[in-house]
Amino acid sequence: MTEELPLKKQIVSIPNLMGYFRILLIPVIVWRYLTADSIEDYRIAAVIIGISGITDFLDGFVARKFHMVTKLGKAVDPIADKLTQGAIVLSLSFRFPLMAALAVLFVIKEGFMGIMGILMLRKGKMLNGAMWFGKVCTAVLYLVMFLLILIPNIPMTGANILIGISGALMLLSFLLYIPVFSKMNREGGSQK
């Protein structure tokens, strides 16, 4: 196990700086998407989301590879992820009506995850990162959001199929997390 960096060094660590950068990109993504009036504008919004996604991958890679995993980073990374996802899902719901249902499911799932995370922390327990099904759900959600922005003239049927797939995986992920938290509550300790 690596020694925890002092808070000042955690704040300015490269992975955490990338997390802050992703948070700062959120209003740029939303603004670029909501004010888009050409295919090029939508593609620029998609590229910005791509940059955010690459930065998300890189911050985790750098943190693990160079032993820069910090408690602060374990908080900043998921916050940046969920804020980005939520903002994009909400923005897409203005163009794709079914996305509004996905936004509601997203809020329910992430609300549950947040509340359970806080309850477990109060008991000295912590979910040690996302489970495989959570990672699959997130990857598919990002792919769907990216495609819907990159291809703004996608037929509504195609968009609804993509949104439906993402929604089904989100619901499955939500349902699979319930027993994980239940087991943590019963057994104690961190869950890997």
Side-chain angles (χ1 to χ4, degrees):
M1 181 169 228
T2 58
E3 187 178 312
E4 189 70 25
L5 293 171
L7 183 58
K8 285 183 181 179
K9 288 192 178 188
Q10 287 185 45
I11 290 170
V12 296
S13 73
I14 292 170
N16 292 345
L17 290 173
M18 286 190 262
Y20 311 144
F21 175 71
R22 286 176 27 231
I23 292 170
L24 292 173
L25 280 180
I26 294 168
V28 177
I29 293 167
V30 171
W31 170 78
R32 200 59 161 130
Y33 178 74
L34 292 178
T35 62
D37 59 5
S38 70
I39 297 291
E40 183 179 306
D41 288 342
Y42 287 110
R43 291 195 176 140
I44 290 170
V47 167
I48 298 168
I49 291 171
I51 291 168
S52 179
I54 290 167
T55 307
D56 183 22
F57 168 77
L58 285 176
D59 72 4
F61 175 78
V62 169
R64 288 184 295 277
K65 177 82 173 168
F66 297 101
H67 309 289
M68 298 174 134
V69 175
T70 63
K71 288 181 183 177
L72 179 62
K74 288 180 181 180
V76 169
D77 184 60
I79 289 170
D81 287 345
K82 300 314 168 191
L83 288 175
T84 301
Q85 293 166 14
I88 297 170
V89 165
L90 187 59
S91 296
L92 285 167
S93 68
F94 288 101
R95 183 173 176 89
F96 302 99
L98 188 57
M99 191 59 85
L102 190 71
V104 170
L105 179 57
F106 178 83
V107 169
I108 291 169
K109 176 187 175 276
E110 296 308 327
F112 168 80
M113 297 293 292
I115 290 168
M116 291 308 296
I118 290 168
L119 291 175
M120 291 298 111
L121 275 176
R122 286 185 173 176
K123 294 181 176 190
K125 304 171 189 178
M126 186 173 162
L127 187 64
N128 230 357
M131 306 296 285
W132 69 267
F133 44 84
K135 291 179 181 183
V136 169
C137 172
T138 298
V140 170
L141 177 61
Y142 267 116
L143 178 64
V144 167
M145 292 185 307
F146 183 78
L147 289 173
L148 292 177
I149 291 174
L150 185 65
I151 312 166
N153 53 354
I154 188 170
M156 196 57 73
T157 302
N160 288 340
I161 289 169
L162 291 173
I163 294 167
I165 290 168
S166 186
L169 288 171
M170 191 177 293
L171 180 60
L172 178 64
S173 175
F174 172 53
L175 295 174
L176 290 175
Y177 268 115
I178 293 171
V180 169
F181 280 111
S182 179
K183 183 178 178 184
M184 281 176 64
N185 191 39
R186 283 192 316 270
E187 294 179 357
S190 294
Q191 187 69 29
K192 291 191 180 192

